[in-house]
Structures are given as C-alpha cells and as structure tokens.
C-alpha cells in the first residue's frame, strides 16, 4: 500500500510542476498475482473468511437483496447463503452441451473475493449509477477469460425479493455484448506499443492531490509521458457485472477496477474514434 501511494504521489507531483509525468499508480495484474493484489488492495481472503464466519451467526439482512452488489458480496463470502440461493439442479449451458448441476456437485464459488479487487464495464459514466438501482431484477456476473476467449456467465434473477442463481452459460468472447471492446482491451493490457498507439490526442487525468487528502488534481497526459502513468492491468481474466439487460455495444466504455477492502478505484474511459478504441480519460 505504501509503495502504491508513493508512486501515485510522485506522478501527481510531476503533473503539478509539468504538464504530466511521474511514476504511475499501479493496479494489480492477473488474478493469480496474490502478493501484488494483497499489497495494493488488502487481504480480501481474510475479508471473505471473516464475512463467512460472521454469516454463521448473523444471516444476511433482507436489505442486502435490494442492491445486487450487496447481495453478490454476501453470496461470494458465505457457503451457507450460496447453497440457499441456487436453484438446483442448476442448468449449465456450453454451446450445444447442457448439463444439470446437482447440490452435491456444486463447489463454492468465491468469484473475485480472493483476489482483492474486481472489474466492471459501463457504457458511460452516467451508466455507473445503475449499481444503485433497486428496481434491477436481473443481473449477470461474467468471468471473462482471455486465454480461452470465453466468458462464463452466472445468471441471477430476483424472485419475490430474493436474488437467486438460476443458470450458468459459457459463450465465446465474440458472442459477448462487449466483444469489440474486450478484444481491444486484452491487446491494450498486454502490448505496450499498442497501448501507446491507442491513446487519444490527449488523455484527461483526475487523481488525488498528494498535498491535500481532501482535494483532487486535474491535468492532461500526452503520449510521450503516458508510460509514467500507465497502470498495470489484468491480462488473463477480468470480471464484469451486467445489471439488467445488456445494451448494444456503443462508442464509449468505462473500465473500472475497484479494491474490495479499501475503496481504491481506477477508472479508464475509452471512446471509439474512427472505428478504433482510444483511451481518453484516466481517473485514479
């Protein structure tokens, strides 16, 4: 955590004295990089264990079913709750293959709880408010695997006020509602040269002021200083949650990476310009 803050402070200090520069804020890499994720976002494995232990004596409050985000964190932390909120036998569809998973065959699914952070995709910044919408009755948690070009979807419906896992579905990334962006993002995360080529003419930057804990700084990052601010990004797998029905892929995507234990957030706004995705804004 200290290295993260020092790096970010250095970057912001140079941004204040020049147009931009410094040592970029580092987000965690792959989900198997446990040390990095723990150092930056805290020990979520302990968080999950604590939540599961607490659940044994304190059942999930009914209010947690109002927002899907509240529910899914409880679902991922408590085996007891998870078994209660799955419709068994659970249909699992993978192309033409369909199987039914029985209660005895189900293995606890922790989702992102063991990696210390999670990721989301939104159509624009205004769309981010959907996480607070209590009228949402359908949600899909997606595990997006770049190495196999596949997406495992966990489909949840809210029945009589209670969220239930009703189906699993495996699809190719090409069939995803975010297909174009996901293909781009994987290359953006793994290819530094392509990353530099995928910047807008300028990239707006918003981040905390190293001299004032309650203030933010704004600036502009140019291509020749991007390397100093470029965050580490997940390269093998990311998560997404679709709240309600998926929208047709538009010309804007907001990639959000959030820490579970401490509220840290990285936000990157991309726009499709001339048929190509370009990074136009970075928030840390």
């Amino acid at each position: 955590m200290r290295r993260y803050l020092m790096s970010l402070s250095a970057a912001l200090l140079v941004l204040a004295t020049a147009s931009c520069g410094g040592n970029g804020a580092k987000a965690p890499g792959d989900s198997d990089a446990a040390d990095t994720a723990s150092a930056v976002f805290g020990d979520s494995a302990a968080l999950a264990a604590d939540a599961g232990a607490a659940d044994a004596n304190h059942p999930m409050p009914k209010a947690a079913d109002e927002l899907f985000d509240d529910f899914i964190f409880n679902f991922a932390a408590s085996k007891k709750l998870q078994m209660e909120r799955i419709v068994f036998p659970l249909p699992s569809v993978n192309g033409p293959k369909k199987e039914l998973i029985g209660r005895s065959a189900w293995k606890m699914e922790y989702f992102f709880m063991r990696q210390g952070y999670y990721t989301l995709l939104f159509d624009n910044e205004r769309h981010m408010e959907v996480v607070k919408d209590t009228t949402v009755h359908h949600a899909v948690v997606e595990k997006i695997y770049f190495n196999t070009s596949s997406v495992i979807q966990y489909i949840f419906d809210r029945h009589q006020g209670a969220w239930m896992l009703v189906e699993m579905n495996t699809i190719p990334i090409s069939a995803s509602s975010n297909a174009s962006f996901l293909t781009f993002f994987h290359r953006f995360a793994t290819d530094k040269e392509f990353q530099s080529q995928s910047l807008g003419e300028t990239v707006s930057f918003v981040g905390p002021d190293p001299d004032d804990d309650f203030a933010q700084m704004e600036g502009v990052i140019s291509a020749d200083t991007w390397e100093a601010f470029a965050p580490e990004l997940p390269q093998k797998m990311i998560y997404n949650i679709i709240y309600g029905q998926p929208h047709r892929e538009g010309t804007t995507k907001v990639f959000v990476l959030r820490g579970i234990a401490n509220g840290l957030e990285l936000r990157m706004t991309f726009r499709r310009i001339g048929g190509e995705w370009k990074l136009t804004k970075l928030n840390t």
Side-chain angles (χ1 to χ4, degrees):
M1 176 65 73
R2 183 174 299 174
R3 288 197 303 271
Y4 174 89
L5 293 175
M6 290 177 63
S7 297
L8 181 56
S9 296
L12 291 170
L13 182 61
V14 178
L15 180 68
T17 57
S19 114
C20 53
N23 189 10
K26 296 299 182 181
D30 302 331
S31 60
D32 56 358
D35 292 341
T36 302
S38 179
V40 177
F41 292 103
D43 189 354
S44 65
L47 177 69
D50 289 345
D55 183 82
N57 299 315
H58 303 285
M60 185 184 79
K62 291 184 178 180
D65 270 312
E66 292 186 3
L67 293 176
F68 183 75
D69 277 15
D70 292 341
F71 162 76
I72 196 62
F73 276 94
N74 281 276
F75 183 88
S78 168
K79 183 176 182 179
K80 180 178 182 294
L81 177 67
Q82 193 164 125
M83 298 303 288
E84 292 174 351
R85 294 301 187 90
I86 299 175
V87 177
F88 290 114
L90 181 70
S92 178
V93 180
N94 187 349
K97 181 181 178 182
K98 181 177 180 179
E99 63 176 322
L100 296 175
I101 302 174
R103 180 180 294 272
S104 61
W106 179 258
K107 295 182 180 180
M108 176 71 176
E109 176 56 71
Y110 294 97
F111 292 110
F112 34 73
M113 293 298 287
R114 290 183 165 180
Q115 66 180 27
Y117 68 96
Y118 64 106
T119 55
L120 297 166
L121 296 174
F122 296 100
D123 295 326
N124 48 58
E125 291 189 1
R126 185 179 59 184
H127 181 226
M128 294 174 64
E129 295 299 312
V130 72
V131 302
K132 303 175 184 177
D133 187 351
T134 59
T135 67
V136 171
H137 283 73
H138 179 82
V140 180
V141 178
E142 296 186 314
K143 278 185 176 180
I144 301 164
Y145 291 94
F146 292 119
N147 57 341
T148 59
S149 299
S150 63
V151 182
I152 300 178
Q153 299 178 320
Y154 297 78
I155 302 169
F156 294 83
D157 286 327
R158 188 160 62 169
H159 294 295
Q160 298 181 339
W163 284 102
M164 303 289 295
L165 175 60
V166 298
E167 186 177 346
M168 289 174 58
N169 192 18
T170 302
I171 62 173
I173 284 181
S174 60
S176 165
S177 57
N178 294 308
S180 169
F181 179 76
L182 290 174
T183 300
F184 158 81
F185 179 83
H186 182 226
R187 187 176 177 188
F188 184 88
T190 56
D191 186 333
K192 294 297 184 182
E193 183 176 350
F194 177 74
Q195 193 174 102
S196 297
Q197 296 169 357
S198 299
L199 304 178
E201 291 187 10
T202 57
V203 178
S204 300
F205 176 83
V206 179
D209 187 336
D211 298 320
D212 186 344
D213 293 340
F214 303 98
Q216 286 194 316
M217 296 180 61
E218 297 185 12
V220 175
I221 302 172
S222 57
D224 59 344
T225 54
W226 166 248
E227 186 176 353
F229 282 86
E232 263 180 66
L233 296 171
Q235 297 182 0
K236 296 180 180 179
M237 188 267 285
I238 62 173
Y239 282 90
N240 184 39
I241 299 177
I242 299 172
Y243 302 85
Q245 298 300 325
H247 299 151
R248 182 175 298 177
E249 191 169 54
T251 58
T252 302
K253 279 288 175 231
V254 181
F255 171 81
V256 177
L257 189 153
R258 287 178 177 158
I260 291 175
N262 55 18
L264 292 177
E265 178 170 303
L266 170 73
R267 188 189 315 169
M268 307 176 77
T269 302
F270 297 85
R271 298 189 186 280
R272 189 148 50 184
I273 302 171
E276 298 181 343
W277 289 102
K278 300 288 185 180
L279 176 68
T280 58
K281 188 174 182 180
L282 174 68
N283 297 66
T284 60

